[in-house]
Amino acid sequence: MVARGLRALRAALRAGGRRFSTRPARAPAMDYQDAIRMLNTLQTNASYLEQVKRERGDPQAQLEAMQGFLERSGLKVEDLDRLNIIHVTGTKGKGSACAFTECILRGYGLKTGFYSSPHLVQVRERIRINGQPISKDLFNKYFWLVYNRLEETKDPAHASMPAYFRFLTIMAFHVFLQEKVDLAVVEVGIGGTYDCTNIIRAPVVCGVSSLGIDHTSILGDTMEKIAWQKGGIFKPGVPAFTVAQPERPLEVLRERAQERKCPLYLCPELDEFEEGSRPLELGLAGAHQRSNAALALQLAQTWLQRRGCHGLGELKEVPPSTELMGRPVPLAPAFQLTDAMIQGLRDTEWLGRTQVLSHGPVTWYLDGAHTTSSIQACVRWFRQAALNQEKPHDGSEVRVLLFNATGDRDTAALLKLLVPCHFDYAVFCPNFTEVSVANNADQQNFNVTLENALTRCLENQRTWTRLLEEKVGQDPWLPSPLRVGGLLQPAPARGSLLLVPPAPRPLNSPALVFPCLAQALRWVAQGRDPHLAAPAASGAHPHPAASSGAVLLREAAAVRVLVTGSLHLVGGALRLLVPELSQ
């Protein structure tokens, strides 16, 4: 069916000449799922990362390759200038800063585009217009237009197709141009200098959110190296803003800005905007979101100013004593916020970041934190949101950690930060929603096998066990480990849960490993979440940790579950816990 549809599309393109057309080709057999399956053949994120590692010695060649793909798709780099782009990088909070910025500017009546990654439930979340993911029909239309144009322009010198992220970036540019957005907020994928979004040559303004250690095999293993990469998005004469950073990384950003003739400013704290007025209400929870909101205010204000729009915030008087003399980067002035700015900060939504879902007695706390500093922020948020709440009258509260981490991240460092939350159980599982995701193309990842993912989960389980053993005796408030853990996976014949013992390790670990998210969530919820089925029978000899835990979870007055470590894990959980997101 796909091949037949492709032949029809290619014939139509040939009949109409080689000039790229934005009229939808007639291909009734090609639907959204066909588009996603074809997209998945263009390599997934893991392959793209490997490609970046191989090519990082010659960033100019990478950008030239991306420019070549863009031109083969029917666009020139200068066409992107019409998008009035806000380009944002950073390690932590860049997506949240983008979401705040987009929501503020949408409140001015502007038609906004927003390109971000990764997606949580459906790929089309990455490309948004006016805050909403583009429709399946619109995604389908632009996917095949771009895909077939790239297929049609293959020749011996240009035989390849762009990788997954590169393709979506090109497609987003087509969508935003053809749908005539007033501006596009573009989030960098990884780094900055080598990122394929860096073919943007004339953004209106740039932003750098908080820096941290992540993607070390690509960006470098120090904050200074990472700062150098992030500063690669600076452009001559284009103002850029950053939030408070450690001294040396901030110095590197300053050097990069000077080198690129880019005026760089430090954002004032959000407190500066609240002087003499009520505290600002943010749509995203957590104290760490305040710096993201402060960055968004500067990006929105500067965009409005440079585009000659009305409704700017009035600059405040800045006393000389607050100018922070001697800083390597000058402090941007605070300004009086407009009603649209205040409303935009309040109305911002960004799924999977400090998100709470109350489903009866089970409350899910979802945060895609995946670096040490973002996990620290997540812990602060979770402790305030969950642990400080009033305990059930009978005291029967069960706390569960659901965790996974991917890539080259230091899982032990992340888990160590989560130990003080005093979880009764730790549950580890891959990011797959089901053992087989054949029917859900949006969630497919061809670069990770179930076996490899489960091996990683077992390593995480052993790490958690070791961390608890080190902690017991040091912290009198830490719950004692409860039972032996193990790997629960479906029996081939009857689909029930069987225990596959992990490698020999000490007894009394409260950790369990499940082969997929659906089984992990069902075990945690024990039929008490209306969106989840009850767990399947675990066979004649269920594992003690699973069976005793199930009793506690069924009888507890409150079950509080923190889902963290990976945005992909959070996305899979959201797909199961909020089914309408898949519609």
Side-chain angles (χ1 to χ4, degrees):
M1 180 177 70
V2 172
R4 189 164 61 249
L6 271 175
R7 285 195 296 272
L9 284 169
R10 290 169 184 160
L13 281 169
R14 282 194 293 271
R18 295 183 66 84
R19 174 63 187 163
F20 183 69
S21 170
T22 59
R23 292 176 307 198
R26 292 184 179 179
M30 314 304 284
D31 61 13
Y32 174 74
Q33 288 299 314
D34 292 324
I36 300 304
R37 291 187 186 99
M38 188 64 78
L39 173 66
N40 287 342
T41 68
L42 299 179
Q43 306 174 0
T44 55
N45 191 48
S47 291
Y48 176 66
L49 295 182
E50 288 302 317
Q51 182 176 342
V52 171
K53 291 177 196 175
R54 291 194 301 271
E55 298 175 352
R56 63 182 174 179
D58 190 356
Q60 192 57 40
Q62 291 183 59
L63 295 178
E64 287 172 2
M66 181 63 181
Q67 183 173 334
F69 288 128
L70 185 74
E71 291 175 354
R72 282 173 52 195
S73 79
L75 293 178
K76 295 187 183 328
V77 172
E78 49 264 36
D79 292 330
L80 307 185
D81 299 350
R82 307 200 311 267
L83 289 177
N84 299 315
I85 289 170
I86 298 173
H87 202 191
V88 183
T89 188
T91 307
K92 307 165 292 174
K94 63 181 184 292
S96 298
C98 287
F100 279 125
T101 306
E102 184 278 330
C103 193
I104 290 170
L105 292 172
R106 181 162 27 102
Y108 279 83
L110 296 163
K111 185 174 183 179
T112 61
F114 180 10
Y115 178 60
S116 65
S117 61
H119 63 278
L120 294 180
V121 180
Q122 297 192 54
V123 177
R124 59 196 181 91
E125 297 165 25
R126 296 176 181 234
I127 305 173
R128 296 171 181 260
I129 293 178
N130 286 334
Q132 295 300 313
I134 60 173
S135 68
K136 290 183 178 181
D137 287 344
L138 209 59
F139 187 99
N140 195 46
K141 167 188 171 181
Y142 285 105
F143 175 86
W144 292 112
L145 286 171
V146 174
Y147 186 90
N148 281 283
R149 180 58 184 161
L150 289 166
E151 277 283 338
E152 287 295 307
T153 53
K154 279 184 175 179
D155 58 39
H158 305 94
S160 63
M161 291 286 280
Y164 186 98
F165 184 77
R166 286 179 174 177
F167 182 95
L168 286 172
T169 304
I170 293 168
M171 180 177 156
F173 291 146
H174 277 274
V175 171
F176 296 153
L177 284 165
Q178 295 303 323
E179 297 302 315
K180 296 180 169 54
V181 300
D182 295 314
L183 68 116
V185 180
V186 177
E187 178 190 0
V188 166
I190 295 172
T193 301
Y194 307 149
D195 190 72
C196 67
T197 65
N198 209 27
I199 59 169
I200 297 167
R201 65 176 195 170
V204 176
V205 61
C206 296
V208 182
S209 67
S210 295
L211 298 178
I213 301 293
D214 197 18
H215 297 299
T216 53
S217 60
I218 295 172
L219 304 180
D221 56 2
T222 68
M223 292 271 281
E224 290 78 9
K225 292 177 182 176
I226 290 170
W228 188 92
Q229 294 279 357
K230 305 295 184 183
I233 70 167
F234 296 156
K235 301 296 187 297
V238 176
F241 295 86
T242 188
V243 298
Q245 310 282 7
E247 183 178 352
R248 274 299 299 145
L250 184 62
E251 178 66 24
V252 172
L253 288 179
R254 184 190 66 81
E255 291 168 359
R256 289 288 268 166
Q258 285 185 334
E259 165 193 319
R260 291 172 167 264
K261 298 179 172 56
C262 161
L264 176 65
Y265 302 94
L266 190 65
C267 295
E269 298 289 336
L270 203 60
D271 299 2
E272 296 289 330
F273 296 94
E274 295 174 328
E275 283 187 4
S277 60
R278 290 182 301 174
L280 291 167
E281 181 182 342
L282 304 184
L284 305 182
H288 58 289
Q289 293 292 356
R290 290 178 64 81
S291 69
N292 299 326
L295 175 58
L297 288 172
Q298 294 291 346
L299 296 175
Q301 169 86 346
T302 303
W303 191 94
L304 292 167
Q305 189 176 47
R306 298 198 79 205
R307 303 314 300 164
C309 296
H310 297 293
L312 288 169
E314 184 179 343
L315 291 182
K316 290 185 175 182
E317 292 281 338
V318 182
S321 60
T322 65
E323 289 185 358
L324 304 178
M325 301 299 292
R327 278 187 178 271
V329 176
L331 185 68
F335 47 86
Q336 192 70 40
L337 301 186
T338 65
D339 290 342
M341 291 173 178
I342 295 169
Q343 186 73 25
L345 293 178
R346 183 165 54 237
D347 290 347
T348 300
E349 295 180 351
W350 197 225
L351 294 182
R353 286 80 169 177
T354 59
Q355 183 177 3
V356 180
L357 298 175
S358 296
H359 291 182
V362 185
T363 305
W364 307 90
Y365 302 83
L366 302 106
D367 189 68
H370 51 271
T371 67
T372 52
S373 49
S374 60
I375 287 286
Q376 286 173 327
C378 172
V379 166
R380 287 193 296 270
W381 162 72
F382 176 68
R383 288 171 74 100
Q384 173 145 13
L387 304 187
N388 292 345
Q389 287 185 358
E390 186 177 346
K391 303 282 184 184
H393 292 303
D394 62 1
S396 59
E397 175 183 296
V398 178
R399 300 183 297 275
V400 182
L401 169 66
L402 178 55
F403 180 91
N404 190 39
T406 59
D408 56 7
R409 296 180 175 94
D410 185 351
T411 308
L414 303 184
L415 288 173
K416 186 174 183 178
L417 295 169
L418 290 161
V419 169
C421 287
H422 301 169
F423 293 104
D424 297 300
Y425 283 93
V427 174
F428 302 96
C429 70
N431 295 336
F432 305 124
T433 51
E434 304 282 353
V435 174
S436 171
V437 292
N439 296 324
N440 180 25
D442 283 283
Q443 299 278 328
Q444 284 181 329
N445 184 343
F446 296 147
N447 284 264
V448 180
T449 66
L450 178 60
E451 181 181 1
N452 289 342
L454 286 174
T455 299
R456 181 75 176 264
C457 290
L458 286 169
E459 292 170 357
N460 294 341
Q461 180 195 44
R462 285 190 285 269
T463 299
W464 183 259
T465 302
R466 175 178 56 77
L467 290 169
L468 281 186
E469 288 171 347
E470 293 172 356
K471 190 69 174 172
V472 169
Q474 300 174 15
D475 186 347
W477 297 104
L478 188 71
S480 297
L482 300 175
R483 294 287 186 273
V484 180
L487 170 63
L488 298 172
Q489 68 178 29
R494 57 188 187 278
S496 62
L497 292 176
L498 293 180
L499 177 71
V500 178
R505 53 187 172 75
L507 298 178
N508 298 331
S509 166
L512 289 172
V513 175
F514 287 86
C516 67
L517 256 167
Q519 291 187 27
L521 294 180
R522 288 173 194 147
W523 179 80
V524 171
Q526 287 296 312
R528 304 177 75 189
D529 184 322
H531 296 96
L532 298 170
S538 54
H541 302 287
H543 194 275
S547 57
S548 62
V551 173
L552 289 173
L553 290 164
R554 281 195 298 268
E555 295 179 351
V559 178
R560 308 195 191 281
V561 191
L562 175 61
V563 184
T564 193
S566 164
L567 272 169
H568 300 287
L569 179 77
V570 167
L574 279 171
R575 179 175 178 269
L576 296 168
L577 296 170
V578 190
E580 54 266 32
L581 290 176
S582 297
Q583 303 309 311

